[in-house]
């Protein structure tokens, strides 16, 4: 055999080995890419789970002291306002009626927000609770 034939055979052998190495590297890279894709899916799923858990915690947090104070103040103002529309402050029944309206507002608010104590109202419901008080009309419950 001539040296050019031997060189061609050696060259083809080298090229075939290089091709096999490239194919095995391609398979390894494909496996690596698939592993990364699966990891991304797993991470995305875990992030969504954590976000849901965080939202559950946020949704279950009750009113702060400042929010409770604002709500109490709103109920006091509303009960006084309702009483002044129906009675004179000099009337004997004025204080009694203020108390009745106050109890009625608290009672209906607890029913509306399904809590045993107004302080258990969730923070995310604070604006709704404040609006409930400000918009409260006893006629709606008689």
């Amino acid at each position: 055999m001539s040296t050019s034939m031997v060189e061609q055979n050696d060259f083809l052998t080298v090229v075939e080995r290089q091709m096999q190495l490239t194919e095995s590297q391609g398979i390894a890279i494909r496996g690596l890419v698939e592993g990364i894709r699966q990891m991304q899916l797993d991470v995305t799923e875990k992030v969504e789970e954590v976000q849901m858990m965080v939202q559950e915690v946020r949704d279950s947090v009750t009113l702060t002291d400042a929010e409770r104070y604002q709500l109490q103040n709103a109920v006091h103002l509303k009960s006084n306002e309702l009483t002044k529309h129906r009675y004179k402050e000099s009337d004997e029944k004025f204080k009694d009626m203020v108390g009745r309206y106050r109890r009625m507002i608290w009672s209906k608010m607890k029913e509306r927000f399904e809590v045993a104590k107004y302080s258990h109202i969730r923070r995310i419901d604070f604006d709704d609770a404040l609006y409930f008080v400000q918009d409260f009309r006893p006629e709606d419950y008689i």
Side-chain angles (χ1 to χ4, degrees), residues 11-29:
F11 175 75
L12 286 175
T13 303
V14 168
V15 169
E16 284 177 343
R17 281 182 74 214
Q18 187 60 43
M19 200 167 66
Q20 288 172 346
L21 281 172
T22 302
E23 286 173 351
S24 66
Q25 287 174 341
I27 290 168
I29 290 172

Side-chain angles (χ1 to χ4, degrees), residues 4 7 12 16-17 29 31 38 70 77 79 81 84 91 95 107 119 125 133 137 141:
S4 72
E7 287 175 358
L12 286 175
E16 284 177 343
R17 281 182 74 214
I29 290 172
Q38 187 59 49
Q70 287 178 359
L77 290 173
S79 61
E81 175 190 320
K84 283 179 184 178
D91 197 337
K95 284 185 178 183
S107 174
S119 60
D125 293 328
V133 173
R137 294 176 8 157
Y141 301 97

Side-chain angles (χ1 to χ4, degrees), residues 47-125:
V47 166
E48 288 172 357
E49 283 179 33
V50 168
Q51 287 172 335
M52 286 173 44
M53 290 167 59
V54 166
Q55 191 60 45
E56 284 179 27
V57 168
R58 281 187 185 145
D59 290 350
S60 67
V61 173
T62 57
L63 298 176
T64 64
D65 287 342
E67 290 165 334
R68 286 194 295 264
Y69 179 79
Q70 287 178 359
L71 209 50
Q72 285 176 347
N73 194 39
V75 169
H76 288 212
L77 290 173
K78 188 65 175 185
S79 61
N80 284 330
E81 175 190 320
L82 290 169
T83 307
K84 283 179 184 178
H85 283 298
R86 291 160 175 83
Y87 296 93
K88 292 181 182 176
E89 286 188 56
S90 60
D91 197 337
E92 285 180 28
K93 288 188 163 192
F94 187 83
K95 284 185 178 183
D96 182 48
M97 289 310 296
V98 168
R100 285 182 186 203
Y101 283 129
R102 218 167 265 173
R103 286 188 297 278
M104 180 186 244
I105 294 169
W106 287 125
S107 174
K108 297 306 177 187
M109 185 187 317
K110 290 187 288 188
E111 282 178 25
R112 160 70 177 78
F113 292 98
E114 299 177 347
V115 292
K117 296 179 178 181
Y118 84 95
S119 60
H120 293 166
I121 293 173
R122 301 175 310 164
R123 289 196 69 204
I124 60 171
D125 293 328

